[in-house]
Structure formats: C-alpha cells, structure tokens
Amino acid sequence: MNTILRCENLYFSYDENDNYALNNVNLSIKKGQKIALMGANGSGKSTFFLCCAGILKPCKGNLFFHNEKIKYDKKSLLNLRSKIGIVFQEPDNQLFCASVYEEISFGVLNLGFSEEETRLKVDNIIKTLNIQSFCEKPTHALSGGQKKQVAIADILVMSPEIIIFDEPASSLDPKHIKIVREIIDKLTNQGLTVIMSTHDVDYAYEWADEIILFSDGEVIMQSKPIDIFTNDYVLNKTNLEKPTVIRLYESISNNNTSYPKNLKELETYIKARLK
Amino acid sequence: MIIDKLSYNSKLRYENAEVKFAFAVITLLICVISRFTVTAIIVLAVTGILTIKSGIPVFRYLKFLSIPLAFLFLSTIAIIFDFKPFYITINKNNIFYALNLILTSLSAVSCLYFLAFTTTIMDILSVLKKLKCPKIILELMLLIYRFIFILLDTAYAISIAQNARLGNINYKTSLKSFGILGSSLMLKAIKRSQNVYISMQARCYDDTINILSSKKAKPKAKHIIMITLFDGFLLIFSIWSKFFL
C-alpha cells in the first residue's frame, strides 16, 4: 500500500516557545488504512489533526501528502483541505448554517462545483446517509446524534481521500454511536483512509488496522492493535486499559499468543474449550 | 425561540417565500405611505386572519401584538396631550392623529409578524439574496441567527449550573451570578467563533460563505392574483381616500 500521509520530526507549539503540543512526531499512514489515534486528553491528537489539514502550521518538521511536501500557500492549502476532511468532535463548532441542506452545500460550493452539480452531490449524500427526515430542519433544532450525522455529511460530500474523525462517539447515545460506526464501516469498505481519535479501547481493538499512541505530544508507539494492547507499559503511560476481549481471554487462557479479535471469536474459543 | 418554532410549524411554511415576502412588504408600504385609518384596519384584519389561519393560536398572536401596542400607547401620550404653561389639554384632532398612528404602526407590525410567523429565516435570507442584498449583511445575519441559539443554549446551561449551586439564592448572589454568566458567555462566544472559523477553513472556506438552499415551492398563480387584487384595491382605496375624503 502507498503511503498517503507522512510526517517527519513534526513540532508544533501554541505559544511559540519550547512548550510543544506536538513534539518530534514521526509517523506514516498508508492509503486505505483504518487508523486509531489514542492517548490521554491533551496528548496532541486534535492538534495533529489540525496540522494534517494545514490549519495549524508546524514550527518545525514536514508533512507529506502522497509523498509531496505540504505547502502553505492559499492554493495548496485549499487543495489539501479538499483531500483531507475533518469531522470535528463538537458538531456545534462545525455547523454554522441555518439549515441542514445549506450546511452540506457549503464545502462543495467552496470546491468550485456548479449549483446543479452541488445539488446532485448534496441530494446524493443525504440519501446515502439516510438523513432525509431532517434535511429541511434548522441545524439548531437537531439532536446531538443528528448533528453528528450532518457533520459527517458535510465532509463526505466533498469526497476527501482521508477522513479524520475527532472522537466521533463522544456524547452520543448507543443508537447514534451505532449509526456513526456503520457510516465509518461503509467508508472503510470503499477504501477510504480513515483516521479516528477515540478512547474506546474495545472499538479501536476490533476496528483499527493500526493504532498510534500519543503521549505529551509524542508518538510513543505505532503498531497493530494486539501489540499495543498487550503492552502494559504504553497502556499505563497513555491512561488506557486493555480491551474486554483481551482481559477475558487472558483470564481464561494460558496461551497468550493467538488473541481473539472480537467477542465473536472469543465466544467460539470458549465454546471449543467447553466441549 | 418561539417565533422560529412557530414559523417552522406554520401551514404556510412551504408556500413560496418570495410571494409571502412581496405580500408583506408591499402591503406594509401601502399602509405606511397612505397613513389612512381604514386602510390600517383592513391590513391589520387581513394579515391577522392570515397569520392565525396559518396555525398561530389567537391568544399567542394577540400577546405578540400587545408588545408593540404597549410601546405605541406610551409614545403617543405626548401627542394626545397638549402641554401648556399652566394646564394640560386634550385635543380631539390629536386623539384621532394618535389613533391613526397606533393603527398604522400596528398594521405595519402585523405585516412583519405575518412574514416572521410563516417564513423561516432561511427563506427570508434566500429572498434577500435574490433581491441582491449585500453579501456581507446576509452572511452576518446567517451567523448571528446560528449563534443566537448556541449562546442561548450555553447561557441556559450556565444558569442551570449556577442554580444547582445556589447561585441565585438572594438578590446579591443573583447579581454576581448574572455578571459571571455574562463574562463567561463572552469568553465562550469568542472561543466558539474561533472554532467555527477553524471548521470553516477545514472545508475550504475562502472568505465568502457559499451556500445553497434546498429547492423551494414555485409561486402559485392563484396566490399572485389574490395578492395583486388585494394590494391593488388597497392602493386605489388609499389614493381615493387621499383625494376624496
């Protein structure tokens, strides 16, 4: 797989001194991968996302998109932002239009599409995400889950190559978490590169191809979920716990090599042992 | 916001916004320019009936009308009374003049109520856009409209949090809590606007807010004819009253 996003020795500071929010970050993300970014609150995940979209300019280091160094002139930034979409954690910070339809059309029109093309794209995304029932509503009258769906539609309609979700399940009820996850699954099945920050270890373990652990602005580990969640040192350092599947498996099995990937596999293992 | 809720639930919501806008504005202009009491009464009655028929409860409509009415009564007191050095008089002409003023103003307000209660802000903005209203004004209206709700929600949440910790137990603490609410709301508003700007930048914002409204209902010939007839009659009646009454 080709590397779609790479950063080398990336530093970023909000107050322009040596207090770095991102401190020598080195990582690479391959096209079509499902990446979970994990770490304690304030570890630099959201700052990293803003750097990826060129909203924050690193103090030092370089970011590469498709192996091309990101430039910070207006044209290059608009081009970059059309390829990397961010669904922000708080939908109220993202939705600023009076109605859902207007909100979704905003990004597409900024890409330079004509009115007719925009209408087609907006109607299409409304159908795909099944949000017809509230597409005529004002954004302030939506529930938290509906706002999140609209925030996702905002980005998807721009057809980005990478979509970043900043804690997509935060403050959502189980029904809307399920809806959002189904949307994410659809995207990953289409081969889109999805980067997501989350604190849900169970979901990250089952969903991600790779997990990147952030701690105090540094990447302390980038590896497969099983390597991350069986490493007690990094879990302690990032305030994370082992996923339920791993904890259960370790409590009933002496063989700590072939871990089940999800509850279904664990169930099969338990049934086989009971026979 | 109650007006916003009423406009979204109005039976006339899906009727063409340009037609409603034209009806409200033309009727208002005729009413204000003619300054004729009978014209004002007709406009007040017609817009009132239309607004109530669109689904606004009578009592609520009257309550909304009573707000400007209170201001009008207070401000016309000075017109009714003649203040002389040693006495105050009431002039019959002045009473009629004040009455005319109240009715004209009230009917103008009722035209605007008709528009506000039957047309959503998005539709009003799209009409203003078609009328070539400056983009900066439309963008400001859009952002202010959105931020009103966010700030109201935030203020409500802060006030609940203050109440939960006895923040309004007496007059002194209430005043202090209100001050804190105001200042924290200000800080939150600034932070929120920064976040909104970041999210707009992330969607290729390039100093112009480009948005597209969903397709609206086409104007109905029946409505256009009725409005033309009504406003035509009103205009002729007003001109006639100016010259023959």
Side-chain angles (χ1 to χ4, degrees), chain A residues 56-71:
Chain A
L56 298 178
K57 191 179 175 183
C59 316
K60 279 186 267 176
N62 294 310
L63 261 159
F64 298 87
F65 180 65
H66 281 300
N67 288 319
E68 268 185 43
K69 197 174 153 186
I70 292 176
K71 292 175 192 152

Side-chain angles (χ1 to χ4, degrees), chain B:
Chain B
M1 285 229 293
I2 193 70
I3 293 181
D4 196 64
K5 262 187 195 162
L6 291 172
S7 70
Y8 274 96
N9 294 327
S10 167
K11 285 176 196 165
L12 294 177
R13 180 192 160 185
Y14 293 106
E15 296 300 337
N16 186 275
E18 287 138 53
V19 172
K20 285 184 280 185
F21 188 88
F23 169 71
V25 173
I26 295 169
T27 313
L28 185 148
L29 286 175
I30 295 171
C31 180
V32 171
I33 294 168
S34 73
R35 284 261 192 114
F36 184 47
T37 314
V38 182
T39 310
I41 291 169
I42 294 170
V43 171
L44 193 61
V46 171
T47 50
I49 289 166
L50 279 174
T51 313
I52 289 162
K53 282 270 177 194
S54 77
I56 313 296
V58 183
F59 181 70
R60 182 161 270 172
Y61 181 70
L62 291 176
K63 208 174 160 188
F64 270 108
L65 267 189
S66 68
I67 302 166
L69 197 63
F71 282 103
L72 287 169
F73 271 126
L74 287 173
S75 47
T76 45
I77 285 174
I79 297 172
I80 297 170
F81 295 104
D82 256 345
F83 294 94
K84 303 286 178 194
F86 299 105
Y87 53 92
I88 300 169
T89 62
I90 298 176
N91 188 325
K92 194 175 138 192
N93 286 342
N94 285 357
I95 291 175
F96 282 118
Y97 182 64
L99 198 66
N100 175 275
L101 205 64
I102 288 172
L103 281 170
T104 309
S105 309
L106 209 59
S107 57
V109 170
S110 75
C111 289
L112 291 179
Y113 274 167
F114 165 77
L115 188 66
F117 287 140
T118 60
T119 318
T120 63
I121 192 80
M122 288 131 40
D123 291 343
I124 294 174
L125 286 177
S126 69
V127 175
L128 291 175
K129 195 176 172 185
K130 280 186 185 162
L131 291 173
K132 308 282 178 210
C133 181
K135 226 169 180 178
I136 184 78
I137 293 174
L138 295 178
E139 286 179 6
L140 275 172
M141 282 173 73
L142 178 80
L143 292 174
I144 290 167
Y145 173 73
R146 176 80 183 107
F147 268 75
I148 284 171
F149 292 97
I150 291 178
L151 287 180
L152 280 178
D153 278 350
T154 314
Y156 180 68
I158 294 172
S159 124
I160 294 271
Q162 286 177 339
N163 284 339
R165 284 174 287 159
L166 307 178
N168 294 311
I169 198 163
N170 55 35
Y171 183 67
K172 198 181 164 189
T173 49
S174 292
L175 274 183
K176 199 179 166 194
S177 297
F178 186 71
I180 294 169
L181 189 147
S183 59
S184 62
L185 206 57
M186 176 75 185
L187 292 174
K188 278 179 192 288
I190 293 168
K191 181 72 188 155
R192 186 81 77 161
S193 67
Q194 283 170 345
N195 288 337
V196 168
Y197 182 65
I198 286 174
S199 79
M200 285 164 82
Q201 275 185 309
R203 285 191 283 159
C204 305
Y205 173 61
D206 193 17
D207 298 334
T208 313
I209 297 177
N210 300 305
I211 47 167
L212 198 62
S213 301
S214 54
K215 278 190 174 163
K216 302 293 175 200
K218 284 183 178 165
K220 287 177 187 159
K222 183 178 86 179
H223 291 161
I224 296 174
I225 293 167
M226 281 166 75
I227 290 167
T228 314
L229 285 176
F230 175 72
D231 281 335
F233 159 76
L234 215 58
L235 186 68
I236 293 165
F237 180 69
S238 302
I239 295 169
W240 175 81
S241 66
K242 275 265 179 244
F243 294 105
F244 299 102
L245 280 182

Side-chain angles (χ1 to χ4, degrees), chain A residues 35-171:
Chain A
I35 302 287
L37 252 73
M38 304 189 86
N41 291 331
S43 58
K45 302 181 296 286
S46 300
T47 308
F48 173 69
F49 290 154
L50 295 179
C51 282
C52 289
I55 289 161
L56 298 178
K57 191 179 175 183
C59 316
K60 279 186 267 176
N62 294 310
L63 261 159
F64 298 87
F65 180 65
H66 281 300
N67 288 319
E68 268 185 43
K69 197 174 153 186
I70 292 176
K71 292 175 192 152
Y72 290 89
D73 60 286
K74 201 173 177 181
K75 200 180 161 194
S76 308
L77 281 178
L78 288 180
N79 186 40
L80 177 75
R81 288 167 192 167
S82 69
K83 306 273 170 56
I84 301 177
I86 306 181
V87 178
F88 288 88
Q89 183 180 351
E90 183 57 63
D92 270 331
N93 289 339
Q94 191 175 322
L95 313 183
F96 71 92
C97 289
S99 81
V100 171
Y101 197 94
E102 288 178 351
E103 186 63 51
I104 300 173
S105 72
F106 174 70
V108 194
L109 287 170
N110 288 341
L111 294 179
F113 284 97
S114 69
E115 208 177 297
E116 276 313 300
E117 286 168 323
T118 305
R119 268 193 207 288
L120 271 176
K121 277 179 164 282
V122 173
D123 291 339
N124 192 26
I125 206 74
I126 285 172
K127 249 186 226 163
T128 310
L129 296 188
N130 202 16
I131 55 174
Q132 297 97 318
S133 57
F134 53 87
C135 73
E136 289 291 333
K137 269 190 172 183
T139 44
H140 62 82
L142 304 178
S143 70
Q146 289 172 333
K147 280 181 186 170
K148 189 63 111 184
Q149 282 171 272
V150 176
I152 296 173
D154 279 353
I155 304 303
L156 283 188
V157 75
M158 294 169 77
S159 315
E161 289 181 36
I162 299 178
I163 183 158
I164 295 171
F165 289 92
D166 196 353
E167 297 191 27
S170 68
S171 63

